[in-house]
Amino acid sequence: MSETQTTETHEFQAEVRQLLDLMIHSLYSNREIFLRELISNAADAADRLRFEALQDEQLFEDDPEPRVRIAVDAEARTLTVSDNGIGMNRTDVIDNLGTIAHSGTRRFLDSLTGDEKHDAQLIGQFGVGFYSAFIVADQVRVLTRRAGDAASEGVQWESDGKGAFRLESSPRESRGTTIVLHLAEGQDEFLDTTRLRSIIRRYSDHIAIPIQLEDDQGGAETINQASALWMRPKGELSDEDYQAFYRQLTFDTEAPLRWIHNKVEGDQSYASLLYIPAQRPFDLFEPESGHGLRLYVRRVFIMEDKEHRLLPRYLRFVRGVVDSEDLPLNVSREILQQNRQVDRIRAASVKRVLDTLERMAADDVDSYARFWEAFGTVLKEGPVEDPANAERVAGLLRFHSTADENAPSVTLADYVERMKPGQKAIYYLTGESLAAVRSSPHLEVFRKRDIEVLLLAEPVDEWLMAHLPAYGETPLKAVPKGDLELDEIGDDDSPTPAAPEPSEAVGQLIERLQGQLGDRVSEVRASARLTDSPACLVVGEHEFGINMQRMLQAAGHDLPAQRPVLEINPDHSIIERLASDESAPLEEWAVLLFEQSVLMEGGRLEDPAAFVRRMNRLLN
Ligand code: ADP
Ligand code: MG
């Protein structure tokens, strides 16, 4: 077969071109990371070989020791990175080095902002990998053969990164992948072995396989520690060791806030190294984002814990490694789902993370505030997902409140300590935004009587509060629900009266309003909640709040019709006037009071235009 018959030219997928462009521009100042990416791919390839060889020893051929080898040729201006990992066949090459195979990468592209600094950081976190070679190279050649395939199946891929790549057969005796970068003008620093050595130490010291740098005589020197850091005794490891390993693991540009390193020995043995990051990865809220711990069995990488078996979803911000001595190497996802050892590792890991967060909250308020800003929203899923630990998670929550409007810094314990004599519940209000919550009429009576209310405005808050009926002995109570029972709160010398018995005129107004509103409301009554607003809506103790109803409806749920109570403020001038002036158009006023109350709850009107017309008629 002649060469030409097997040579094909393929266009890059449009997204690849977009990515290449972007990478070359936004990562130029940080271009040495290309080496980290190529080494990390080589290490992944070694892991995958080791894993597949569990089923089929033949794959090792006669070369079982994984390694990465780096060589420079100053004359040819090339830098070569080769591995003896799993390698690729022709289809693999087309899929992996011609398209953006990972749906994650596409989402990543969508999340770019155009702000270079921000985008560069995203790329860093994401580790987009192979294509970063084109930041420093004007020509890249990949020679590869998949383990187990015949030598004649070897493939060569070649591109200048401009728009297309060339593919041809290239027989290859040894399995694995060799990547030859022809360095672009001005990139001579990557021919300098001293420079290369320092880059490798900086980024890849804890890659678990040896990284060897070839010298002029054809010998090679191992540059990295090449050991599993998590197996080393704590006493031998410095902060810098832990941080360097974290960088390798996550590509995070910020140092982690905390790490937790444990070696457990006994009837079950494992090591775990868990990190609490300082900043949010961009895809924390994507269901498929695949953040999770890395599971190893006796130093062999098995899988990324994307199904959150080793730690629950609400702790998915934790990064790190679990390495078991006891699980079978061929452990599958199915086995993991129902393995008692895994249950125990999980319970212990949850405990360690919660312990660490509690300690950080107590000893280092600033770090905890950073943690909360980055991951508080995720932690709020805790009481829903993990009722057994709901009380501990509740202690870690931070809230905005009427007593501290600036930062979400109020704990439930702070609140309980500040409760008024006779106060029996922790009061809270949820809504669509903090601004809306802060100006809600439901807070009027609380402000007047100086009773603190927790303010919540994230979507997850509704679910959180629905699963948090009490903190210790103290029930939590939504202020727009049921009877507030504020009567007993306060000092003995200044008792505050219950809702005033409405005057006869107000009593009649209530009946007339009820007649006008029909089955839009379950009841109209005089309010003990309001000081400045004429009216508000209240739901029953065990009904969904209006904000929750809105969210459920937005999520496509069919809700049973629920009728709120309209409470009116007998002391408000509008109510006073309506009570005394029988000629006022009550059919208009009733609906207006009702609809403005719906709006203040963040609810939606079925016919906003009718609302505006009605208001304008009354203004006239
Ligand atoms: P990622 O490593 O995040 O998957 P990359 O762009 O770094 O993304 O690599 C894309 C894919 O190319 C890898 O998933 C892998 O399948 C393949 N690949 C890259 N380098 C190698 C290599 N040295 N050996 C085997 N496969 C590789
Ligand atoms: Mg990669």
Side-chain angles (χ1 to χ4, degrees):
M1 216 187 284
S2 77
E3 277 265 296
T4 44
Q5 277 178 296
T6 58
T7 302
E8 301 167 2
T9 302
H10 294 253
E11 298 273 302
F12 282 125
Q13 207 184 22
E15 281 98 335
V16 176
R17 265 178 277 162
Q18 190 187 345
L19 186 66
L20 281 167
D21 254 9
L22 182 104
M23 202 148 38
I24 290 162
H25 288 118
S26 61
L27 282 187
Y28 190 78
S29 57
N30 204 9
R31 59 194 178 281
E32 77 234 24
I33 60 145
F34 80 91
L35 193 55
R36 167 191 84 186
E37 297 294 336
L38 298 183
I39 290 174
S40 129
N41 284 349
D44 290 348
D47 279 341
R48 282 168 52 205
L49 175 70
R50 219 168 356 179
F51 185 66
E52 289 193 19
L54 296 172
Q55 312 291 331
D56 178 7
E57 284 230 3
Q58 303 292 327
L59 293 180
F60 279 131
E61 299 174 9
D62 49 8
D63 180 17
E65 294 301 328
R67 45 126 196 96
V68 189
R69 216 167 238 227
I70 295 171
V72 294
D73 180 336
E75 230 160 276
R77 294 179 52 79
T78 58
L79 172 66
T80 302
V81 180
S82 37
D83 66 66
N84 56 353
I86 189 76
M88 289 177 272
N89 62 28
R90 198 178 183 98
T91 322
D92 294 338
V93 170
I94 294 174
D95 288 349
N96 295 328
L97 310 185
T99 64
I100 292 183
H102 305 264
S103 54
T105 313
R106 198 156 295 138
R107 285 202 303 269
F108 157 77
L109 280 172
D110 292 341
S111 63
L112 294 175
T113 57
D115 171 48
E116 271 190 24
K117 214 168 140 226
H118 176 258
D119 291 350
Q121 199 173 341
L122 282 187
I123 291 189
Q125 279 180 35
F126 202 80
V128 273
F130 171 77
Y131 300 109
S132 63
F134 288 103
I135 309 176
V136 299
D138 52 18
Q139 188 79 24
V140 176
R141 201 146 40 94
V142 179
L143 300 140
T144 183
R145 170 172 72 76
R146 200 171 199 297
D149 286 356
S152 59
E153 301 281 300
V155 190
Q156 170 173 306
W157 176 104
E158 194 174 14
S159 176
D160 60 3
K162 295 253 155 59
F165 60 90
R166 236 158 48 104
L167 210 57
E168 61 195 60
S169 291
S170 173
R172 182 180 158 107
E173 284 303 321
S174 55
R175 66 148 198 275
T177 304
T178 299
I179 298 177
V180 185
L181 311 187
H182 183 267
L183 296 174
E185 193 114 6
Q187 306 301 333
D188 296 28
E189 60 186 290
F190 301 110
L191 296 170
D192 172 3
T193 51
T194 311
R195 172 93 167 103
L196 292 174
R197 195 172 280 129
S198 100
I199 300 173
I200 295 165
R201 288 246 173 80
R202 169 157 176 72
Y203 291 106
S204 311
D205 207 24
H206 297 285
I207 290 284
I209 62 174
I211 302 167
Q212 302 167 343
L213 191 58
E214 268 178 29
D215 55 33
D216 302 339
Q217 283 78 47
E221 176 199 357
T222 296
I223 305 293
N224 63 330
Q225 305 251 3
S227 74
L229 175 117
W230 58 88
M231 294 309 294
R232 290 167 54 193
K234 278 195 219 186
E236 276 183 18
L237 296 165
S238 65
D239 287 0
E240 177 45 36
D241 289 330
Y242 282 113
Q243 290 176 358
F245 181 67
Y246 175 77
R247 274 197 301 273
Q248 260 177 45
L249 190 73
T250 62
F251 301 147
D252 192 348
T253 49
E254 299 263 336
L257 291 173
R258 288 287 185 282
W259 52 85
I260 315 162
H261 186 189
N262 287 91
K263 269 168 102 170
V264 177
E265 269 151 47
D267 50 338
Q268 127 150 297
S269 302
Y270 65 92
S272 71
L273 174 53
L274 310 178
Y275 289 93
I276 298 176
Q279 65 177 349
R280 222 183 233 202
F282 71 95
D283 56 353
L284 189 64
F285 292 98
E286 303 205 359
E288 306 298 322
S289 64
H291 287 281
L293 301 179
R294 288 168 69 84
L295 175 65
Y296 286 75
V297 172
R298 294 185 287 288
R299 259 64 67 214
V300 177
F301 174 67
I302 305 295
M303 66 179 94
E304 207 87 53
D305 181 32
K306 296 189 183 182
E307 275 143 38
H308 306 288
R309 185 64 182 110
L310 296 170
L311 271 182
R313 285 186 57 80
Y314 75 99
L315 300 179
R316 64 183 176 278
F317 51 83
V318 176
R319 310 295 299 272
V321 168
V322 170
D323 188 347
S324 162
E325 298 294 321
D326 311 305
L327 289 172
L329 272 170
N330 58 356
V331 61
S332 64
R333 286 184 199 282
E334 292 66 41
I335 293 175
L336 274 188
Q337 283 314 323
Q338 40 188 310
N339 182 287
R340 300 265 301 278
Q341 292 178 347
V342 176
D343 287 339
R344 274 152 59 195
I345 294 176
R346 174 183 168 108
S349 303
V350 170
K351 183 172 176 314
R352 288 188 189 112
V353 172
L354 295 180
D355 285 346
T356 302
L357 291 176
E358 281 168 0
R359 233 174 303 126
M360 178 168 33
D363 305 342
D364 184 355
V365 175
D366 292 343
S367 292
Y368 194 77
R370 282 185 75 189
F371 163 77
W372 183 258
E373 196 194 330
F375 302 116
T377 313
V378 179
L379 198 67
K380 285 175 174 180
E381 297 168 14
V384 184
E385 187 185 2
D386 186 6
N389 284 305
E391 190 77 22
R392 291 193 72 182
V393 175
L396 290 167
L397 300 174
R398 295 293 180 269
F399 298 91
H400 287 277
S401 108
T402 49
D404 185 347
E405 303 246 340
N406 302 317
S409 59
V410 176
T411 67
L412 291 172
D414 294 339
Y415 184 105
V416 168
E417 213 176 275
R418 291 197 285 253
M419 278 174 28
K420 294 269 191 262
Q423 182 177 347
K424 295 201 184 67
I426 298 170
Y427 292 102
Y428 69 89
L429 179 60
T430 53
E432 209 174 359
S433 69
L434 266 186
V437 173
R438 284 197 178 115
S439 58
S440 164
H442 289 290
L443 294 180
E444 290 172 8
V445 67
F446 288 90
R447 288 228 166 86
K448 181 168 157 209
R449 303 189 48 183
D450 195 26
I451 300 169
E452 183 171 4
V453 178
L454 302 177
L455 307 176
L456 297 97
E458 292 189 296
V460 65
D461 289 331
E462 290 288 352
W463 275 272
L464 167 66
M465 296 321 251
H467 287 79
L468 209 62
Y471 176 65
E473 304 287 286
T474 318
L476 281 101
K477 189 165 164 37
V479 300
K481 286 191 182 179
D483 189 0
L484 287 176
E485 296 173 343
L486 299 180
D487 313 342
E488 291 166 35
I489 303 179
D491 312 331
D492 283 346
D493 25 316
S494 62
T496 340
E501 203 45 50
S503 70
E504 211 185 302
V506 171
Q508 279 171 11
L509 175 65
I510 285 175
E511 268 178 39
R512 288 164 60 216
L513 286 170
Q514 197 141 13
Q516 290 296 337
L517 290 172
D519 54 8
R520 274 191 255 215
V521 295
S522 62
E523 188 190 347
V524 179
R525 67 183 179 217
S527 185
R529 298 171 203 257
L530 301 173
T531 58
D532 303 330
S533 303
C536 70
L537 292 180
V538 177
V539 299
E541 195 75 59
H542 302 290
E543 292 179 323
F544 290 125
I546 291 182
N547 189 49
M548 181 69 142
Q549 291 179 36
R550 183 180 54 77
M551 284 171 33
L552 288 170
Q553 274 158 350
H557 292 277
D558 245 347
L559 292 184
Q562 200 176 270
R563 291 182 301 153
V565 174
L566 180 71
E567 288 197 355
I568 59 168
N569 176 3
D571 297 329
H572 194 278
S573 58
I574 291 181
I575 302 298
E576 281 175 345
R577 236 183 64 209
L578 292 177
S580 60
D581 177 6
E582 304 237 336
S583 67
L586 203 68
E587 66 288 355
E588 301 264 59
W589 277 109
V591 179
L592 185 78
L593 287 172
F594 175 76
E595 291 193 330
Q596 61 166 252
S597 303
V598 171
L599 286 178
M600 280 196 288
E601 297 292 330
R604 277 194 22 219
L605 299 180
E606 272 169 32
D607 187 351
F611 169 79
V612 172
R613 281 198 301 275
R614 183 172 297 113
M615 190 172 67
N616 290 340
R617 280 199 296 275
L618 290 172
L619 287 173
N620 256 326

